Amino acid sequence: MKTAKPNLSFGAKCLWLLCRSVAILPHWMQYKGVAAFIYLLLRYVVRYRRKLIIKQIADSFPLKSEQEVVAICNEFYSHLAEVIISTMNMAGITDEERRELIKFNVPDSVKEIVDGRHLVVLASHYGFWEYAQFVGLAITGYSMVGAYHPLSSKAWDELFLHLRTFKDVYPVPSQRYVRYFMENREAGVCGKPMMLGLASDQNSPPKGKVHWFNFLNRPTLFFDGGEQLATKFSLPVVYLSMRKVETGRYECDVVLLHDGKKPLEKHEITERYVRHLERDIEREPAYWMWSHRRWKYYPDPVTGEAVYRRKGV
């Protein structure tokens, strides 16, 4: 059963046609021509969030020299340009093309553990995260239910929802994500068990007592919705460790974090996720989204409560 594409307003149709006009270009023209132009704009003209990017990289890697930090920043701009092209390239993409753009390595032991059970899939804003939703091409027989944050612009929100909707892929607003799971827990989606896809490296708004993770040289808050679902409903959890193999193409290892059966300490699943993500970033730092304001909060030195960090601090 093919997932129905949402209807588009006039503004969203114009944006989709722009994306489609790039998607039909040859690969070399997309990434050597259009992406190169976007890179020049980001680095030299717009200087997109350059101060924030450099500060976050420098704070994360205090042993790197200023030259090394700037080099990572510039490489990030190149990668961000590729991300923009890859996003546009999703307009009208086929299943065959999806398989060419990303390869998933799934150990047989993982397939045996998750077989027929609802599954929590933890991804991150590393590499090209939109391809993470295609893991169903490798672990078959599932419906991917991906959480997303609706955008304030109606046209852009419709466009991204359209780009993210594929066969057996169901984008669901994060506000009603748990409710969607509960509504479909027994029967599944279209008769198939659910993969619950979550990008857990997003800023987690602090509510009550929070847990701090040591991540990239400082205390950090992480979204733990995946762990809460896994713990409450005894679900297995996997992490998608992505790496770029060439321009616009990726490979992804599916790593088991929890089998959904053995008891674990609170925060252990998220801790395992954090450690894997940290290793991926340390391996190739330019491929993480440094332009997001990652450390909006810091712990009060006395109470440990989350304190909002003013911009520029």
Side-chain angles (χ1 to χ4, degrees):
M1 179 178 177
K2 188 174 178 61
T3 309
K5 291 278 189 180
N7 294 325
L8 296 178
S9 63
F10 176 75
K13 285 180 180 178
C14 293
L15 292 172
W16 189 89
L17 288 173
L18 174 63
C19 292
R20 187 60 187 155
S21 67
V22 172
I24 62 177
L25 295 175
H27 184 272
W28 67 268
M29 190 177 295
Q30 291 175 344
Y31 290 97
K32 299 298 182 183
V34 183
F37 175 72
I38 294 173
Y39 165 74
L40 293 174
L41 287 178
L42 291 172
R43 179 177 174 181
Y44 295 107
V45 180
V46 180
R47 295 176 67 83
Y48 177 65
R49 297 188 176 183
R50 189 171 182 87
K51 289 183 179 179
L52 172 65
I53 295 167
I54 287 180
K55 175 174 173 51
Q56 294 194 142
I57 295 173
D59 290 345
S60 298
F61 301 101
L63 298 182
K64 291 188 180 296
S65 66
E66 181 180 349
Q67 291 76 12
E68 289 174 312
V69 170
V70 170
I72 294 172
C73 174
N74 293 337
E75 189 178 355
F76 166 74
Y77 282 143
S78 178
H79 174 67
L80 181 56
E82 289 184 17
V83 165
I84 294 171
I85 295 300
S86 294
T87 301
M88 301 175 78
N89 200 32
M90 290 171 65
I93 195 174
T94 65
D95 284 355
E96 291 72 22
E97 290 170 328
R98 289 195 286 165
R99 290 187 174 91
E100 292 177 2
L101 293 171
I102 185 164
K103 174 186 176 183
F104 292 93
N105 302 315
V106 189
D108 290 338
S109 58
V110 172
K111 291 182 179 180
E112 291 174 4
I113 290 172
V114 306
D115 184 38
R117 304 164 65 191
H118 297 312
L119 169 66
V120 176
V121 179
L122 299 184
S124 66
H125 290 89
Y126 185 88
F128 184 52
W129 52 93
E130 296 289 351
Y131 288 165
Q133 65 185 316
F134 300 157
V135 67
L137 296 172
I139 305 178
T140 57
Y142 278 84
S143 293
M144 165 58 77
V145 179
Y148 78 96
H149 293 281
L151 302 176
S152 56
S153 167
K154 180 182 177 182
W156 283 103
D157 186 61
E158 289 179 353
L159 171 68
F160 273 93
L161 189 58
H162 197 75
L163 293 175
R164 289 168 173 162
T165 303
F166 292 89
K167 178 183 178 182
D168 293 329
V169 177
Y170 302 83
V172 174
S174 55
Q175 296 91 330
R176 65 179 306 268
Y177 194 77
V178 175
R179 180 182 298 178
Y180 186 92
F181 169 72
M182 295 301 296
E183 291 172 350
N184 296 279
R185 182 186 170 200
E186 296 299 326
V189 176
C190 294
K192 298 178 181 179
M194 289 178 280
M195 286 184 178
L196 302 167
L198 297 162
S200 293
D201 60 339
Q202 298 179 15
N203 281 301
S204 175
K207 296 178 181 179
K209 187 176 180 180
V210 297
H211 181 81
W212 297 94
F213 296 88
N214 182 25
F215 175 70
L216 292 178
N217 200 45
R218 80 209 80 172
T220 308
L221 295 176
F222 276 85
F223 177 71
D224 64 352
E227 175 168 332
Q228 291 183 34
L229 283 170
T231 302
K232 185 173 182 178
F233 299 103
S234 300
L235 306 179
V237 184
V238 297
Y239 166 69
L240 302 185
S241 178
M242 191 177 294
R243 59 187 174 276
K244 185 187 295 187
V245 293
E246 60 179 278
T247 303
R249 291 185 168 86
Y250 296 84
E251 191 166 338
C252 186
D253 294 331
V254 179
V255 181
L256 183 69
L257 298 184
H258 179 45
D259 62 5
K261 298 177 180 178
K262 297 176 183 177
L264 294 176
E265 295 291 331
K266 190 176 182 180
H267 308 301
E268 178 61 26
I269 294 174
T270 307
E271 176 69 30
R272 294 178 181 182
Y273 166 83
V274 170
R275 298 283 72 81
H276 279 286
L277 174 59
E278 188 174 55
R279 283 195 288 271
D280 286 345
I281 295 171
E282 289 174 344
R283 184 184 67 240
E284 292 286 351
Y287 300 154
W288 196 47
M289 279 298 288
W290 295 101
S291 56
H292 289 186
R293 192 164 169 241
R294 295 294 181 181
W295 289 274
K296 289 182 178 180
Y297 300 91
Y298 65 93
D300 183 279
V302 177
T303 65
E305 295 180 355
V307 180
Y308 183 75
R309 190 189 305 272
R310 293 181 292 106
K311 289 185 177 181
V313 178

